[in-house]
Amino acid sequence: MTPKPRTVALVAAAALLTRRALRRRVRVSPLWPLPALDPPVSGRPRPRALRLLLTAHETIADGVVQLRLEGSALPRWEPGAHLDLVLPSGLVRQYSLCGDPADTSSYTVAARLVADGRGGSREVHERLAAGMELEARGPRNRFPLADAPAYVFVAGGIGITPVLPMLRALPAGAEWRLLYGGRTRASMPYLEEVARLAGDRLTVVAEDEDGRPDLAALFADTAPGTAVYCCGPQGLTAAVEERLPAGAALHVERFAPRTGPGGDTAFALELRRTGRTVPVPAGSTVLAAVRRVLPDTAYSCEQGFCGTCRQRVLEGEVDHRDELLTDTERRDSMLICVSRAHGGRLVLDL
């Protein structure tokens, strides 16, 4: 018996609807009929965006500009905090707050020009001008001033910015000393104010005059429990870590992501939702490998500071190199712009 036209039409329509439903289901979970995964992790909850007016843009040292950003009822902050500043190009860069924490009408930050950098500092120096409105996020603090019986501060160049509010906040009678280094005295911002605050507790090392700082002398007679604060370029922070006295507590603010103890090695990266496995070469990043397959994957700072590229880890051990995630967050997620795998394989929820 020949099927009636209406029956044929109904069967065809049902088959079409089934195929469409199946395609939608596969898009949700490429591993279907296995259970669909939970919604993926991408980025961190962003703090409330601030609209700030740039009221002053001035050179305060060779290659260093200071920005005054004004607003109303701005969030308070503690020494060591920083802002995420959204530049007109869309780049997001992090700058330590170096003004008065009690001032809720303005924030002050400073930026050094990095001639061979990734463009953020050049934009700050050359494209920003008084009268512009900028977006900022924060403040956030991953470098807070701890209670300690004594302090040693080590600042390299623009690394003085998070340290300066700490010096102002130290209680009278606190035991502390500061080593402040730079390429030249003219390139060291806030040097006069630092000298007034520190007096004879300050050691200034201008590389063109004095060579490298003597960390052994700085750390001589450092008592157990002393808090050592260091902010500066990688060579300086590595030297401080190497010479840190026994019993001292080190607090570091880095200019760039830390490197792993074993360097970079290649590994395989599985993107579970996508059903693809891609190589991550020794000279590349997880972010670059992911974006070859998923070009719309969000990222911003590429330094492990902002959290935009955070992703959930399903399998594998992570070599965490960021300065942002908490220990709890690191149990099942990573910042793919800087962190890598310990071992030959990593599986992401992507």
Side-chain angles (χ1 to χ4, degrees):
M1 179 182 295
T2 302
K4 295 182 179 180
R6 182 180 180 186
T7 302
V8 173
L10 289 174
V11 171
L16 178 61
L17 291 173
T18 300
R19 284 196 299 271
R20 288 177 176 174
L22 181 58
R23 281 197 292 267
R24 286 195 297 270
R25 187 64 183 85
V26 171
R27 280 197 297 269
V28 172
S29 177
L31 300 181
W32 186 84
L34 296 176
L37 298 172
D38 293 332
V41 167
S42 181
R44 294 169 63 88
R46 289 186 175 180
R48 177 173 64 92
L50 305 170
R51 301 302 301 182
L52 303 175
L53 180 65
L54 178 58
T55 58
H57 180 284
E58 57 182 324
T59 299
I60 58 171
D62 287 353
V64 180
V65 294
Q66 176 180 275
L67 311 181
R68 179 180 174 85
L69 301 155
E70 296 188 1
S72 60
L74 298 177
R76 293 183 177 273
W77 55 278
E78 299 291 334
H82 70 273
L83 276 183
D84 296 337
L85 194 62
V86 183
L87 303 179
S89 66
L91 291 175
V92 179
R93 294 294 182 264
Q94 290 69 41
Y95 297 105
S96 295
L97 290 160
C98 53
D100 180 2
D103 182 2
T104 59
S105 65
S106 72
Y107 291 141
T108 300
V109 300
R112 178 176 298 285
L113 177 63
V114 182
D116 58 349
R118 295 175 298 121
S121 68
R122 185 168 297 280
E123 185 173 357
V124 169
H125 277 249
E126 299 178 359
R127 292 187 55 190
L128 298 190
M132 298 177 67
E133 189 178 62
L134 299 174
E135 179 181 320
R137 305 180 193 126
R140 292 187 285 122
N141 199 343
R142 60 170 182 265
F143 194 49
L145 183 63
D147 290 329
Y151 301 88
V152 174
F153 299 96
V154 183
I158 198 67
I160 195 64
T161 50
V163 171
L164 185 56
M166 295 181 184
L167 303 184
R168 301 188 192 115
L170 290 171
E175 181 182 337
W176 61 275
R177 57 187 182 273
L178 165 66
L179 186 151
Y180 182 16
R183 296 189 305 275
T184 66
R185 286 178 179 265
S187 70
M188 299 165 69
Y190 306 112
L191 183 55
E192 290 185 5
E193 181 179 356
V194 168
R196 288 196 301 270
L197 286 168
D200 60 6
R201 289 175 287 202
L202 172 64
T203 300
V204 176
V205 180
E207 191 173 334
D208 65 334
E209 303 171 10
D210 310 308
R212 301 286 184 177
D214 185 352
L215 294 178
L218 177 69
F219 290 135
D221 303 322
T222 298
T226 296
V228 177
Y229 280 80
C230 178
C231 182
Q234 184 172 341
L236 178 63
T237 57
V240 169
E241 289 172 329
E242 182 180 342
R243 293 167 177 79
L244 186 71
L250 180 61
H251 306 263
V252 175
E253 179 92 309
R254 302 176 192 276
F255 290 173
R258 71 182 73 205
T259 56
D264 292 351
T265 58
F267 60 95
L269 177 70
E270 180 185 338
L271 308 179
R272 178 63 54 84
R273 293 172 183 268
T274 311
R276 294 277 299 277
T277 297
V278 294
V280 181
S284 188
T285 65
V286 175
L287 174 63
V290 169
R291 284 179 59 83
R292 286 197 297 271
V293 179
L294 301 170
D296 293 332
T297 301
Y299 71 100
S300 181
C301 75
E302 298 183 82
Q303 296 283 294
F305 295 149
C306 73
T308 304
C309 68
R310 178 186 172 194
Q311 301 295 340
R312 180 180 287 124
V313 179
L314 300 179
E315 295 178 27
E317 184 180 356
V318 179
D319 175 9
H320 290 285
R321 302 185 182 184
D322 67 275
E323 300 292 333
L324 183 67
L325 297 183
T326 66
D327 289 343
T328 299
E329 290 169 333
R330 287 181 174 186
R331 292 174 187 168
D332 65 356
S333 61
M334 67 183 289
L335 300 190
I336 62 174
C337 65
V338 293
S339 297
R340 302 181 66 82
H342 272 311
R345 181 172 174 270
L346 203 60
V347 182
L348 297 183
D349 185 21
L350 280 170

